[in-house]
Amino acid sequence: MILTVTLNTALDITYRVRSLRPHASHRVSEVTERPGGKGVNVARVLAALGHEVTVTGFTGGATGRVVQEKLAEVPRVADALVPVSGATRRTTAVVDERTGDTTQLNEPGPTITPAEWSAFQEAYADLLHGVSAVALCGSLPPGVPVGAYAGLVRTARAAGVPVLLDTSGEPLRRGVAARPDIIKPNADELAELTGSHEPLRATQDARRRGAGAVVASLGPEGLLAATREGRWRAVPPAPVRGNPTGAGDSAVAGLLSGLVEHLPWPDRLARATALSTATVSAPAAGEFDRGRYEELLEKVAVTAEVTAA
């Protein structure tokens, strides 16, 4: 069983329009709704890969009920969301069919009370029993302490559970100091963490700050990994246009599934890159085109940067 944590769950709404124009009315050609937030997207991809997954985080209000109803329809995903008095947020993606570009609108999420945060921490500690890995993903809703992920990393490590952290800003800086097994920042998040805009140098610096392994998302340039075993770069065969929402989450799912399956790092990175790229070409956030994924998996180029980290 793999556990994913999404403190700021969401209902992801995707609109498709012929051409997005400012100050104009638009006719929507297609609408899709999915339970979302980074860890929920990770769970959906893991389940599609055949893994049993438990999802936890916060849920509340009418939107939260919709999220849970739709989550119940996903095979191999168990709902362990913790109820709160506030309303779960919505995220809205508007896809321009002409250009393939996506405009994203994200609500802040409910304000979490100290009592609700304490209840979550107790539930989280209980859920770690029998778990093979945990992913801590996404932004913090209002009211949750900025050092929340650092505490959750330490709890997982005390339970002997490998932990992957995927967040940004101060929560990432504090979380890295708690020594997660893997972090997966994008290029901007990595630069903010380390002060370096040179990805190879920045990944090494992030490891020195406490991360066991650093896997940086470089957009169409693929993934760059610095680990105890070595450094690798994984590059997709060609750029893909589409909706990038959830692409990083699919990469996390690839890394986590490779971890629990004990795959060597090059195979984990190839899987993560293929899943991420296949997600961009999928019609809805947080899904991937399986045929495209299988095709890409054979074509992802993984090269060693050095022989040792």
Side-chain angles (χ1 to χ4, degrees):
M1 176 71 72
I2 298 173
L3 177 66
T4 70
V5 175
T6 313
L7 296 178
N8 214 359
T9 54
L11 180 65
D12 286 342
I13 304 167
T14 302
Y15 294 117
R16 300 185 71 86
V17 299
R18 184 181 301 275
S19 177
L20 182 61
R21 305 180 308 280
H23 317 298
S25 296
H26 297 79
R27 186 176 297 278
V28 176
S29 61
E30 182 182 354
V31 181
T32 57
E33 291 186 344
R34 298 287 188 276
K38 294 179 72 64
V40 175
N41 291 337
V42 171
R44 186 185 298 109
V45 175
L46 284 168
L49 293 172
H51 290 274
E52 299 292 329
V53 192
T54 296
V55 170
T56 191
F58 296 113
T59 183
T63 304
R65 289 192 292 273
V66 174
V67 167
Q68 291 186 285
E69 290 168 2
K70 292 186 174 295
L71 204 56
E73 300 170 1
V74 184
R76 291 187 290 275
V77 173
D79 175 1
L81 294 170
V82 175
V84 295
S85 57
T88 296
R89 66 184 178 136
R90 295 162 296 182
T91 66
T92 303
V94 183
V95 180
D96 185 321
E97 295 177 336
R98 179 178 57 84
T99 65
D101 294 334
T102 301
T103 299
Q104 191 79 20
L105 304 171
N106 296 331
E107 296 178 0
T111 298
I112 306 303
T113 68
E116 290 167 342
W117 175 234
S118 294
F120 172 80
Q121 291 176 88
E122 292 178 8
Y124 170 75
D126 289 341
L127 288 167
L128 288 173
H129 297 297
V131 165
S132 56
V134 58
L136 308 174
C137 303
S139 62
L140 301 178
V144 172
V146 70
Y149 281 134
L152 298 181
V153 168
R154 286 191 288 267
T155 301
R157 288 180 59 84
V161 177
V163 56
L164 184 153
L165 177 62
D166 183 14
T167 188
S168 60
E170 187 65 12
L172 175 60
R173 189 184 70 81
R174 297 198 187 192
V176 167
R179 308 186 68 82
D181 294 88
I182 306 170
I183 64 170
K184 196 217 65 64
N186 61 33
D188 291 339
E189 292 162 352
L190 185 62
E192 182 181 7
L193 173 66
T194 65
S196 174
H197 290 272
E198 201 291 301
L200 196 58
R201 180 181 303 167
T203 54
Q204 286 294 87
D205 183 56
R207 282 205 65 219
R208 285 192 291 268
R209 290 168 185 258
V214 180
V215 181
S217 295
L218 305 180
E221 297 179 17
L223 300 175
L224 177 65
T227 78
R228 294 182 181 90
E229 291 80 10
R231 292 187 290 187
W232 292 272
R233 190 181 299 267
V235 181
V240 176
R241 300 182 69 176
N243 181 4
T245 305
D249 307 329
S250 291
V252 169
L255 295 172
L256 267 182
S257 62
L259 171 67
V260 300
E261 294 172 28
H262 307 290
L263 297 181
W265 269 105
D267 291 347
R268 298 186 204 181
L269 295 169
R271 178 182 290 183
T273 302
L275 282 169
S276 178
T277 307
T279 297
V280 173
S281 60
E287 296 186 350
F288 68 95
D289 183 320
R290 179 169 290 277
R292 181 69 171 142
Y293 160 65
E294 293 174 353
E295 175 188 348
L296 287 164
L297 189 58
E298 302 297 322
K299 298 179 180 179
V300 172
V302 182
T303 56
E305 293 288 326
V306 294
T307 57

